[in-house]
Amino acid sequence: MSIILALLAAVFASFTAILAKIGIEKVDSNLATAVRTIVVVIMAYLMVVITGETESILTISVKSYIFLILSGLTTGLSWICFFKAIQIGDVSKVVPIDKSSVVLTILLSFIILREPATALVVSGGVIISIGTFVLIGKDRKKTSKRKVFNTKSYIFLAVLSAVFAAATNILAKLGIEDVDSNVATFIRTVVIIIFAWGIVFFQGTFKELKKISKKSYLFLFLSGAATGFSWLCYFGALAIGKVSVVNPIDKFSVVLTMILSFIILKEKPAMNTIAGAILITIGTALLII
């Protein structure tokens, strides 16, 4: 069941990046993140109500709250870095770098969570890692200094996003023990929305809300809904499965996102892109076996 939920999380996550890329045009990335989070927190709360777990919010231990809050903060930081990166860079380049967090997550799950390092998990993780680096590749074309600076900037932001995402997975696993996954998702999302809107008000970009087009709002809301579904599936899988298996399967969204970026965003695939996608698919298959 955890594998099915992780795969569903990957499908919804792939749509998140594409929809966000379309909606984030001419919109401050932090403001876009804050707008998306409104949808996510509403969805998370509705799931808590539907499952009848509203009262359990008050019975969660202090330890779980601490780890869930920390997980929410690292998610917020990861989002800020990620959506700024896709605003200035290609989705098909940023997403693979961001999803390289799978390597760090697997390592931390072995060290901190004491999960068994089986041959299939290690092999799958290594192949996914190789596929990710192949995907990143090198741009051999001559570019202007400004474009080189932008490239370095979005790569750096994507790497930071990956680091924070890895921390998110471990902290969430520690905090989700003996806690309903939907309640855990809601608590984390509340932290994220406070964090995101805090930054927006600090920067003063909330004044630009009126300038956002209806088209951008539509795609940001759809992106938020896709994120909400992805999270509900992912943390449901995380609650009953192992981080070292669930996280890499969820990161199969890299391949799905790339395919959608080629079809919808008209980004051109290169040989390294195709080769990397094949390696990631093989690595994911090993984890499912």
Side-chain angles (χ1 to χ4, degrees):
M1 186 62 183
S2 62
I3 290 176
I4 294 174
L5 287 172
L7 286 171
L8 284 174
V11 172
F12 287 120
S14 65
F15 280 100
T16 293
I18 300 298
L19 293 167
K21 176 68 175 180
I22 297 172
I24 209 170
E25 292 179 4
K26 298 179 182 180
V27 180
D28 177 79
S29 61
N30 292 333
L31 181 59
T33 299
V35 172
R36 292 176 63 260
T37 311
I38 293 174
V39 181
V40 182
V41 77
I42 291 173
M43 287 183 63
Y45 182 70
L46 285 175
M47 285 304 299
V48 172
V49 174
I50 291 171
T51 55
E53 293 289 340
T54 50
E55 293 183 0
S56 65
I57 295 175
L58 301 175
T59 61
I60 298 174
S61 67
V62 175
K63 175 188 173 183
S64 292
Y65 260 117
I66 291 174
F67 281 116
L68 288 173
I69 290 172
L70 289 174
S71 175
L73 289 173
T74 51
T75 299
L77 290 169
S78 179
W79 271 17
I80 287 171
C81 294
F82 177 74
F83 289 107
K84 182 62 178 178
I86 66 170
Q87 186 178 48
I88 61 178
D90 291 340
V91 172
S92 56
K93 287 285 186 181
V94 174
V95 172
I97 300 173
D98 169 65
K99 301 306 182 184
S100 64
S101 61
V102 65
V103 186
L104 186 55
T105 299
I106 291 176
L107 290 174
L108 292 176
S109 70
F110 295 155
I111 298 170
I112 299 176
L113 302 179
R114 304 296 182 184
E115 293 184 354
T118 63
L120 286 176
V121 171
V122 174
S123 299
V126 170
I127 294 175
I128 289 174
S129 303
I130 295 172
T132 299
F133 285 110
V134 170
L135 275 173
I136 296 170
K138 292 183 179 180
D139 189 357
R140 297 180 181 179
K141 296 180 181 180
K142 293 182 179 180
T143 55
S144 63
K145 289 183 179 179
R146 183 176 180 181
K147 188 171 182 180
V148 170
F149 175 76
N150 284 339
T151 300
K152 289 181 178 179
S153 296
Y154 79 69
I155 287 177
F156 176 70
L157 287 168
V159 169
L160 279 180
S161 176
V163 172
F164 288 126
T168 292
N169 293 317
I170 301 302
L171 290 167
K173 180 64 176 180
L174 291 170
I176 210 170
E177 293 179 2
D178 300 322
V179 178
D180 177 77
S181 62
N182 293 320
V183 173
T185 300
F186 172 65
I187 293 172
R188 294 176 65 259
T189 311
V190 168
V191 176
I192 295 168
I193 197 169
I194 293 173
F195 181 75
W197 280 99
I199 290 176
V200 166
F201 278 99
F202 178 77
Q203 292 181 326
T205 50
F206 66 92
K207 299 175 183 177
E208 298 177 17
L209 284 169
K210 295 181 180 179
K211 298 179 181 179
I212 300 177
S213 67
K214 292 181 179 179
K215 175 188 173 183
S216 291
Y217 267 122
L218 173 62
F219 281 100
L220 288 173
F221 285 149
L222 289 174
S223 175
T227 298
F229 283 123
S230 180
W231 277 12
L232 291 170
C233 292
Y234 179 72
F235 290 103
L238 201 63
I240 59 178
K242 296 176 181 177
V243 174
S244 55
V245 174
V246 171
N247 182 253
I249 293 175
D250 170 63
K251 300 314 177 192
F252 183 61
S253 60
V254 172
V255 177
L256 299 177
T257 301
M258 286 168 46
I259 293 173
L260 291 176
S261 71
F262 302 147
I263 298 172
I264 299 174
L265 302 179
K266 306 301 181 183
E267 294 181 358
K268 296 180 180 179
M271 287 302 296
N272 66 293
T273 302
I274 297 172
I278 292 173
L279 286 171
I280 291 175
T281 302
I282 294 172
T284 304
L286 286 176
L287 291 168
I288 297 175
I289 296 174

